[in-house]
């Protein structure tokens, strides 16, 4: 079990392990030169930490911080790369996740530039809720939301009050936010729905391609490679 606020890897650290969350939510954080931080994405059981090692990166470009506790599996990056080279299925899965993560990064960047802090906070809460066990109680502090949004804690206090007024948040307990998901969806900007649909399409199309490739390979006669000359 990894605890809330645990740092799995820091920006600039060597990527020694690839980490696979079995539950919980992990945020990718960019550390700015002036000391500010802002989240660029969040992953859960659908993703992994350290996959940039598959692209040849030896150091992490972001800091990965646990926001919702959960269990993880990990393996040395060198062993993962060996498995990647031997398995077309693993390669395809890495490509699917990379495409979905890039989609998330692009939408978050656009959302940060165009939409209100209230709408952005609703979107982050929905993303994190998607990766939890379904509980409407999210173990998030105002400091955490400040880091996710890249704003001051006083701004977060105002936004929490606004979301409570719209009943998107039911309560703001110490270290926890209780959400009303349908009302929160009404407050969130369109980025949440658009991003979710696009990522779902990437994953479903990728899964179908992997299934088709696996089925085709299984039908090949023993000792015969597809496309090989006789």
């Amino acid at each position: 079990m990894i605890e809330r606020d645990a740092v799995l890897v820091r920006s600039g650290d060597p990527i020694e392990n690839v980490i696979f969350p079995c539950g919980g939510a992990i945020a990718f954080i960019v550390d700015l030169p002036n000391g500010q931080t802002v989240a660029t994405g969040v992953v859960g059981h659908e993703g992994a930490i350290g996959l940039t090692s598959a692209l040849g990166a030896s150091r992490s470009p972001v800091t990965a911080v646990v926001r919702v506790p959960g269990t993880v599996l990990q393996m040395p990056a060198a062993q993962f790369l060996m498995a990647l080279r031997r398995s077309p299925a693993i390669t395809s899965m890495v490509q699917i996740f990379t495409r979905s993560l890039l989609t998330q990064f692009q939408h978050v960047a656009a959302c940060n530039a165009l939409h209100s802090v209230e709408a952005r906070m609703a979107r982050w809460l929905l993303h994190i809720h998607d990766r939890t066990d379904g509980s409407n109680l999210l173990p998030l502090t105002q400091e955490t939301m400040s880091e996710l949004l890249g704003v001051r804690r006083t701004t977060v206090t105002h936004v929490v009050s606004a979301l409570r007024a719209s009943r998107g948040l039911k309560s703001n307990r110490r270290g926890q936010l209780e959400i009303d998901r349908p009302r929160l969806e009404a407050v969130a900007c369109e980025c949440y729905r658009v991003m979710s649909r696009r990522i779902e399409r990437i994953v479903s199309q990728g899964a179908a391609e992997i299934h088709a490739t696996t089925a085709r390979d299984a039908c090949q006669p023993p000792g015969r490679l597809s496309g090989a000359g006789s």
Side-chain angles (χ1 to χ4, degrees):
M1 174 70 72
I2 49 174
E3 301 299 327
R4 183 176 69 179
D5 298 331
V7 177
L8 301 183
V9 63
R10 293 189 183 278
S11 176
D13 282 355
I15 301 175
E16 298 177 347
N17 296 293
V18 178
I19 301 170
F20 303 92
C22 300
I26 298 166
F28 291 127
I29 306 293
V30 171
D31 304 298
L32 301 177
N34 64 359
Q36 286 185 293
T37 59
V38 64
T40 57
V42 62
V43 298
H45 59 82
E46 84 286 358
I49 313 300
L51 283 186
T52 50
S53 61
L55 305 176
S58 60
R59 295 184 180 274
S60 177
V62 294
T63 297
V65 184
V66 177
R67 287 310 175 207
V68 176
T71 57
V72 301
L73 301 173
Q74 69 176 25
M75 66 185 302
Q79 290 186 16
F80 177 77
L81 290 176
M82 290 175 60
L84 185 69
R85 296 186 185 104
R86 293 196 300 263
S87 173
I90 295 178
T91 300
S92 296
M93 290 301 298
V94 169
Q95 291 172 347
I96 292 169
F97 174 66
T98 301
R99 291 201 299 270
S100 65
L101 193 59
L102 287 174
T103 297
Q104 185 178 170
F105 288 165
Q106 290 166 347
H107 277 280
V108 168
C111 185
N112 286 347
L114 299 174
H115 297 138
S116 69
V117 178
E118 184 179 344
R120 287 161 49 203
M121 183 171 179
R123 173 180 56 76
W124 276 124
L125 292 174
L126 290 169
H127 284 318
I128 292 171
H129 187 251
D130 287 342
R131 291 161 174 84
T132 64
D133 58 6
S135 171
N136 287 332
L137 277 175
L138 302 180
L140 302 171
T141 64
Q142 290 199 12
E143 183 178 359
T144 296
M145 294 311 304
S146 172
E147 186 173 58
L148 285 171
L149 293 163
V151 298
R152 298 177 182 273
R153 288 184 62 180
T154 52
T155 302
V156 174
T157 299
H158 293 314
V159 174
V160 167
S161 296
L163 288 177
R164 290 188 67 179
S166 65
R167 293 187 289 179
L169 288 179
K170 292 182 178 180
S171 65
N172 177 26
R173 306 178 187 178
R174 184 175 179 83
Q176 288 186 321
L177 296 175
E178 184 180 7
I179 70 169
D180 182 314
R181 186 175 177 101
R183 294 184 185 277
L184 207 58
E185 289 178 350
V187 175
C189 55
E190 65 272 18
C191 291
Y192 172 73
R193 293 179 293 276
V194 173
M195 190 190 312
S196 297
R197 286 197 300 267
R198 289 183 177 176
I199 290 176
E200 183 178 353
R201 185 161 61 247
I202 290 170
V203 173
S204 61
Q205 290 176 348
E209 292 170 3
I210 292 174
H211 178 75
T213 300
T214 302
R216 184 178 65 247
D217 292 345
C219 292
Q220 292 297 321
R224 179 91 176 244
L225 297 177
S226 177
S230 56

